[in-house]
Amino acid sequence: MPNKIKVNLNSSHFQELDSFIDGLETTEGELISILHKAQSIFGYLPKEVQIHIAKRVNVPVSRVYGVVSFYSYFTMKPKGKYHISVCTGTACFVRGADAVLRDFEEELEIKSGETTKDGLFSLDSLRCVGACALAPVVLINEDVYGKEDAKKVKEIIQKYMKINSEG
Amino acid sequence: MSKMNITIDGKNIEVDSNSTILEACKKLNIIIPTLCHLDLHDLKMVNKSASCRICVVEVEGRNNLVTACSTPVADGMVVNTHNIRVMNARKTVLELMLSDHPAECLSCSKGGNCDLQHMAERFGMREIRVTGKSQSTYRKDKTVSIRRNLDKCIMCRRCETMCNEVQSVGALSAINRGFDAVVAPTFEVNLHDSVCTFCGQCVQVCPVGALTETDRSWEVIEALANPRKTVVVETAPAVRVALGEEFGYEPGTNVTGKMVSAFRQLGFDYVFDTNFAADLTIMEEATELLERIKRLKSGEKDVNLPMLTSCCPAWVAFIETQFPELLDIPSSVKSPQQILGIIAKTYFAEKINVDRKDMVVVSVMPCLAKKYEAGIESFKEDGNPDVDIVLSTREFAQLIKLSNIDFNSLENEDFDNPLGESSGAGAIFGTTGGVIEAATRTAVEWITGESLDNVDYKSMRGEEGIRIANLKVKDLEINIGIANGLGSARELLEEIQAGNPRNLHAIEIMACPQGCIDGGGQPYHHGNIDIIKKRKQAIYEVDGKKTIRKSHENPSIQKLYKEYLGEPLGEKSHKLLHREYDKKERV
C-alpha cells in the first residue's frame, strides 16, 4: 500500500507549520499563504488544521473556513499522491475536456472531487490554467499534459502507477 | 478636514474629502437606493461590502458605473444618479436579485419589514424578465432562537459584519462561490453547534427573511386556550419602550399600561413584570459583590473579582464558549427572566395552590437569546421548564394584531401583584449601565447604612462601548466597568486576563450594543439609531417617575424574603436563584 501521502496529522507537521508562521513578520494578511503552506505540509486542510491556524492568526475559524471554501485550490479532503486536474475552461471544454474528465473517472472508478481508495490518485476539474494553446490540458501534480497526450488517459495512469511501484 | 466640490445631478455641493458619493447624495436629499449598505455609526458598524450593486451611479469620465456606497468623492467629480443608463442597470440588478429569490412574501416572517420587498415596491417591479438558475435550496437550519433560510439570502453580508466586527463572535462567514455562496457557521455546522450566542443582532440587521426568530406565538395561543393551565406572563423592561413602534407610536413612547391591558385581553391569568425579578437579582447580586469585596479587604488572596453581571444569556453563552478560563468570576445569579419563572412556579404557585406542571410561564423579551436560555436543562424541574415559552417583542405585537385587539384604544392597566411591583432600579436593566447602576444604589446604601439622596449615577450612563466609573463609598473605592456589545466585552475581558490594570471590581456586560433596548427581538430599526436613543430616554423616564427607585425598598421583594426566601445568598435563595456555568467547546 502506498503510504507516502501526507494525510496523518502528526505533531511534526504542526511543528513545521508553526515554524513557518513564526517566521512571518506578521500574520496579518498572510492567511492565504499560511493555508498554502499548510496544504503543502498536510496534503489537505482538515478541520483540526483550520482551527489551529485560526488560533495562530487570531481570526475566527469561520473566516478561515470562508477562505478555504472559496478557493478551489484548497481542499478539505485528502488528495491523492498524484493529483489530477482536468482543465474545463472554455478553450479546453470546446476541445473535449468533458470527455477527458469522463475517461479519468471511468479509468480510476472515482468521481471528480474524489480520491482513489489506495490514496494514489485524486481527480478534480479546474478553470483555465492559461495554456489554452495546449487544450485540452491536464495537470498531474507539476506535470502538464496537453492536446493528444490528454487523450491517452489509460497510459498516463499506468505511467504513474509504474513510477509509484518503482518508488 | 479638507473639502471637495462635486456635482450630483447638476447640483453642486461641498463635502468632506472622506465622504462617499452616497453621503454626498444624502446632503442633497437625493435618496439613492441601498440594500447591503448599513451605516450604524454609533454602534461601530458600517457594512460597506458593495455587493448588491443597487446603488450604482454614473461618474463622468469613468467607463463603468460605480457603487455610491463605497466610492469616495473626488474634487470636481460629476455624478449622474438617474439617467437612463443608471436606471437600466439598477433595474437589471434588482431583477437579477429577485430572479432567484423565493417569492414567499405572503408567508415570510419578514413580510412588510423586508428591505428587498420595499425595494421592489419602490422600483414598481411588475415583471421579472430573468429566469435565473432554479432557486437555490440550501438546507434550512433552525435553533430554538434563530432560523436560517439561506435561500432568501442576498449576500449583503450585514450579518457577517455584525457577528465578526461588532460582536467579535465569529460564528458566521461567507463561504463558497457563485450560486453556492451562503453565509454559514464554520464547517457549515448548525448554528446551535457553532459559537453563536443567539444575541440576534444578525436577525436585527438582515434585510430579508434569511435570518429570523423561531416563532412560538401559536404555542401561547394554545396555552391560553387550555382551561387546565394557569398562564402567567412576564415582560422585560425594554419591551414597553419599543412595543408602541409596532402600533404607530413614536419611538420612545412608554406603553406599559396598554401593554398590560393587552396581556389581559389576550387572556393571561396573571400579568407579572420581569422588572420585579430584576429587583430580586439586585438583592442577590449586590450581596454577592459586597461579600467578594469584603473578602478582598480582609486580605484574602485570589478573590474572584471583578464580578461580572450575569443577566444577559447571550453574554453568558459568549464567556462559556470564548473565555472558559474566566468562568469563576461572573455572578452566579440567574437572569431576571429565569428568576421570575422559578419564583412564579414555586412561591407564587404555592400561594395560589397550582401545581407547577399546570402553570405556563410565558416571557416577552427584547431578546432572542432568552429563547435559548429558557431551554437550558438546569432551568427545568423534571423536564418542566421554569419559563415555558419566550416571545420576542415582535412576536408579541403580532399576537396582539392576530387577536383583533386595537392596541391604541386600550386603557392603561397595572401589573398584578406580588410579582408585578418593581422599582426604578429594575426598569433600567433594559439599557447599558442600568444593571450596575441598580446594583450600586443598593450596595452603596448597604455599605453606608444611610439613605441615598441622589440615585442617578450619571457616570454609568452613556453610549460608548466601554465606560468606567470610579466610586468612593466611605473608605471603599469601587471601580466599575461597563461594556455593551460583545466586541467591547471581549476588550474588557482581555484586559482582565492581562492582569486587570484598572483594578475593576465589577463589570456589567450586555451583549447587544446599547443593551436590551436594541435587542435582537425588538422591532426592526432599519438602520435608524435615533430609535434606540429614544428607547433609552424612555427607560430612564420610567425610572425617574417611580416613587421607589431602589431594589431593596420594593415592598414585594421584602415580603418575598420574609415569607419565603430568608435572606440573600441564603440556602433557599441559593437553590432557586443561582446557577452554574458550563464550558462549551464550539467552532
Side-chain angles (χ1 to χ4, degrees):
Chain A
M1 279 294 282
N3 54 5
K4 286 184 182 170
I5 34 169
K6 299 172 178 175
V7 290
N8 50 334
L9 299 178
N10 65 38
S11 60
S12 73
H13 288 150
F14 280 104
Q15 276 166 17
E16 191 182 344
L17 178 61
D18 279 340
S19 63
F20 173 78
I21 296 172
D22 292 337
L24 295 169
E25 234 168 75
T26 167
T27 56
E28 210 161 304
E30 294 291 343
L31 180 57
I32 289 180
S33 61
I34 293 168
L35 287 169
H36 262 277
K37 184 70 186 177
Q39 186 157 305
S40 76
I41 295 169
F42 292 93
Y44 68 124
L45 295 169
K47 291 176 183 177
E48 296 83 346
V49 172
Q50 293 184 43
I51 293 168
H52 180 79
I53 291 172
K55 277 190 192 137
R56 288 300 319 267
V57 183
N58 200 20
V59 297
V61 194
S62 59
R63 172 121 353 136
V64 176
Y65 177 66
V67 172
V68 169
S69 66
F70 183 86
Y71 292 103
S72 60
Y73 174 81
F74 294 129
T75 176
M76 287 180 66
K77 289 182 192 151
K79 285 189 179 177
K81 182 175 178 185
Y82 304 108
H83 180 63
I84 305 162
S85 303
V86 179
C87 178
T88 53
T90 313
C92 292
F93 191 82
V94 297
R95 291 200 179 215
D98 56 336
V100 178
L101 183 62
R102 203 167 50 238
D103 287 351
F104 274 108
E105 285 181 338
E106 280 170 13
E107 202 58 47
L108 295 168
E109 294 177 352
I110 55 171
K111 293 266 171 240
S112 174
E114 294 178 349
T115 304
T116 53
K117 281 199 185 110
D118 60 7
L120 206 51
F121 295 100
S122 53
L123 180 64
D124 240 326
S125 63
L126 51 71
R127 295 290 147 84
C128 198
V129 291
C132 305
L134 296 175
V137 176
V138 175
L139 295 180
I140 301 181
N141 292 354
E142 312 288 308
D143 306 333
V144 182
Y145 297 86
K147 290 195 174 170
E148 297 312 307
D149 279 346
K151 289 171 189 166
K152 301 173 193 158
V153 166
K154 200 169 186 166
E155 290 160 46
I156 294 172
I157 291 171
Q158 278 166 354
K159 178 178 147 193
Y160 285 96
M161 289 170 92
K162 197 168 167 231
I163 296 172
N164 182 58
S165 62
E166 286 165 2
Chain B
M1 180 72 62
S2 62
K3 299 281 183 185
M4 282 179 179
N5 280 297
I6 71 167
T7 307
I8 306 175
D9 296 343
K11 297 172 198 159
N12 295 317
I13 188 165
E14 191 185 67
V15 292
D16 291 340
S17 58
N18 65 353
S19 307
T20 59
I21 294 176
L22 182 69
E23 285 158 352
C25 287
K26 260 185 205 151
K27 289 200 163 166
L28 284 169
N29 298 320
I30 295 168
I31 310 158
I32 303 284
T34 56
L35 265 178
C36 66
H37 176 79
L38 185 67
D39 187 349
L40 307 177
H41 224 79
D42 297 343
L43 307 187
K44 285 197 230 158
M45 167 171 169
V46 183
N47 191 50
K48 264 189 197 175
S49 59
S51 60
C52 78
R53 322 303 287 182
I54 201 83
C55 70
V56 286
V57 295
E58 185 184 72
V59 173
E60 286 185 13
R62 292 199 197 172
N63 286 333
N64 295 328
L65 299 179
V66 302
T67 45
C69 71
S70 64
T71 307
V73 294
D75 210 26
M77 188 183 250
V78 179
V79 180
N80 300 311
T81 76
H82 64 89
N83 62 20
I84 184 131
R85 182 182 173 215
V86 171
M87 288 169 80
N88 245 328
R90 243 182 236 159
K91 189 159 169 264
T92 306
V93 164
L94 185 59
E95 275 181 278
L96 286 169
M97 235 182 278
L98 294 173
S99 73
D100 80 329
H101 190 85
E104 295 168 3
C105 303
L106 287 176
S107 57
C108 178
S109 72
K110 273 271 171 68
N113 259 313
C114 170
D115 293 350
L116 186 62
Q117 192 181 37
H118 293 159
M119 198 60 71
E121 274 170 27
R122 176 171 165 184
F123 277 57
M125 271 294 170
R126 294 297 171 262
E127 66 166 338
I128 297 157
R129 293 168 299 174
V130 198
T131 324
K133 179 179 164 174
S134 60
Q135 282 161 7
S136 48
T137 46
Y138 194 81
R139 73 188 157 83
K140 313 263 190 297
D141 177 15
K142 184 173 166 183
T143 70
V144 289
S145 295
I146 296 171
R147 279 181 44 184
R148 292 165 64 232
N149 182 349
L150 275 305
D151 299 351
K152 294 179 183 171
C153 175
I154 58 167
M155 286 306 281
C156 70
R157 304 176 74 169
R158 288 181 185 182
C159 56
E160 190 189 354
T161 304
M162 180 53 90
C163 188
N164 291 286
E165 287 172 27
V166 182
Q167 298 296 66
S168 78
V169 170
L172 295 173
S173 175
I175 61 159
N176 301 336
R177 268 176 306 165
F179 276 106
D180 297 328
V182 287
V183 175
T186 311
F187 308 139
E188 295 180 72
V189 297
N190 289 327
L191 207 53
H192 192 81
D193 302 314
S194 76
V195 290
C196 175
T197 66
F198 309 108
C199 74
Q201 284 299 311
C202 56
V203 174
Q204 186 58 255
V205 298
C206 177
V208 292
L211 296 168
T212 55
E213 69 259 70
T214 302
D215 189 341
R216 295 189 64 189
S217 47
W218 194 259
E219 288 171 63
V220 175
I221 293 172
E222 286 173 338
L224 290 168
N226 187 340
R228 291 189 306 278
K229 299 286 181 188
T230 300
V231 190
V232 167
V233 69
E234 59 161 311
T235 177
V239 173
R240 66 204 69 187
V241 297
L243 178 66
E245 292 162 31
E246 294 277 347
F247 299 95
Y249 285 90
E250 274 298 300
T253 308
N254 168 19
V255 295
T256 309
K258 286 180 191 295
M259 176 185 73
V260 173
S261 178
F263 281 127
R264 293 228 171 83
Q265 297 247 331
L266 283 164
F268 285 98
D269 297 303
Y270 296 94
V271 183
F272 290 147
D273 197 350
T274 314
N275 294 20
F276 166 87
D279 281 335
L280 193 48
T281 302
I282 289 302
M283 296 295 286
E284 297 292 322
E285 208 163 65
T287 309
E288 206 179 356
L289 177 64
L290 291 183
E291 187 250 356
R292 291 194 200 179
I293 291 178
K294 207 164 119 192
R295 276 164 48 207
L296 181 76
K297 291 291 152 199
S298 71
E300 195 178 317
K301 293 269 180 289
D302 301 325
V303 182
N304 46 351
L305 284 168
M307 190 178 86
L308 313 176
T309 58
S310 55
C311 309
C312 168
W315 143 240
V316 169
F318 184 76
I319 191 172
E320 284 182 328
T321 47
Q322 312 247 3
F323 292 87
E325 60 282 7
L326 291 179
L327 279 177
D328 62 325
I329 58 173
S331 157
S332 62
V333 187
K334 290 180 188 173
S335 74
Q337 164 176 282
Q338 295 306 131
I339 286 183
L340 199 297
I342 193 138
I343 293 296
K345 286 199 174 179
T346 54
Y347 172 67
F348 183 67
E350 285 167 32
K351 246 185 197 309
I352 59 167
N353 202 17
V354 167
D355 189 287
R356 70 172 281 155
K357 289 195 173 61
D358 294 324
M359 181 182 273
V360 177
V361 175
V362 176
S363 154
V364 176
M365 293 283 139
C367 177
L368 300 188
K370 290 284 176 195
K371 287 171 179 274
Y372 144 80
E373 184 187 44
I376 292 173
E377 279 306 314
S378 56
F379 298 152
K380 293 177 184 171
E381 194 185 282
D382 298 332
N384 179 270
D386 297 339
V387 175
D388 294 81
I389 308 167
V390 182
L391 299 185
S392 67
T393 311
R394 296 187 293 262
E395 288 167 83
F396 174 45
Q398 187 75 51
L399 197 57
I400 295 172
K401 291 170 191 170
L402 189 61
S403 308
N404 312 334
I405 294 169
D406 178 9
F407 188 80
N408 305 46
S409 69
L410 292 173
E411 298 288 330
N412 288 333
E413 291 183 16
D414 287 329
F415 287 102
D416 289 311
N417 278 329
L419 313 186
E421 186 167 33
S422 66
S423 76
I428 55 177
F429 263 58
T431 180
T432 171
V435 172
I436 208 74
E437 181 174 341
T440 303
R441 291 178 188 177
T442 290
V444 169
E445 284 206 357
W446 282 349
I447 295 168
T448 61
E450 293 159 18
S451 182
L452 271 176
D453 291 335
N454 181 4
V455 297
D456 292 326
Y457 285 93
K458 295 261 165 72
S459 61
M460 296 176 194
R461 303 179 185 182
E463 285 171 0
E464 299 76 26
I466 294 177
R467 305 189 297 282
I468 304 291
N470 306 99
L471 287 183
K472 187 136 174 63
V473 190
K474 284 194 161 170
D475 61 336
L476 266 184
E477 277 181 30
I478 304 178
N479 304 321
I480 288 167
I482 296 159
N484 65 95
L486 288 171
S488 303
R490 178 183 292 278
E491 274 182 54
L492 266 192
L493 289 184
E494 283 171 353
E495 194 178 306
I496 301 309
Q497 285 182 317
N500 193 8
R502 288 194 261 204
N503 193 21
L504 299 173
H505 298 98
I507 301 178
E508 176 206 283
I509 298 179
M510 295 192 187
C512 291
Q514 302 303 312
C516 317
I517 45 173
D518 180 27
Q522 291 281 59
Y524 295 113
H525 56 59
H526 293 284
N528 183 356
I529 292 307
D530 283 343
I531 292 175
I532 313 296
K533 292 178 183 166
K534 286 176 183 159
R535 290 177 191 163
K536 181 183 279 189
Q537 275 171 12
I539 286 246
Y540 284 118
E541 280 165 24
V542 173
D543 170 34
K545 283 182 188 152
K546 289 270 185 183
T547 23
I548 296 169
R549 298 184 62 196
K550 298 164 226 164
S551 300
H552 58 283
E553 290 181 355
N554 178 341
S556 294
I557 292 285
Q558 292 168 347
K559 194 169 159 213
L560 173 64
Y561 275 105
K562 205 170 153 203
E563 282 183 7
Y564 196 71
L565 290 174
E567 52 182 13
L569 293 190
E571 198 188 327
K572 194 147 197 175
S573 303
H574 198 84
K575 182 167 168 272
L576 296 178
L577 310 180
H578 291 256
R579 63 172 297 185
E580 286 172 356
Y581 299 101
D582 294 319
K583 178 180 170 178
K584 291 193 172 70
E585 297 250 11
R586 301 273 164 84
V587 288

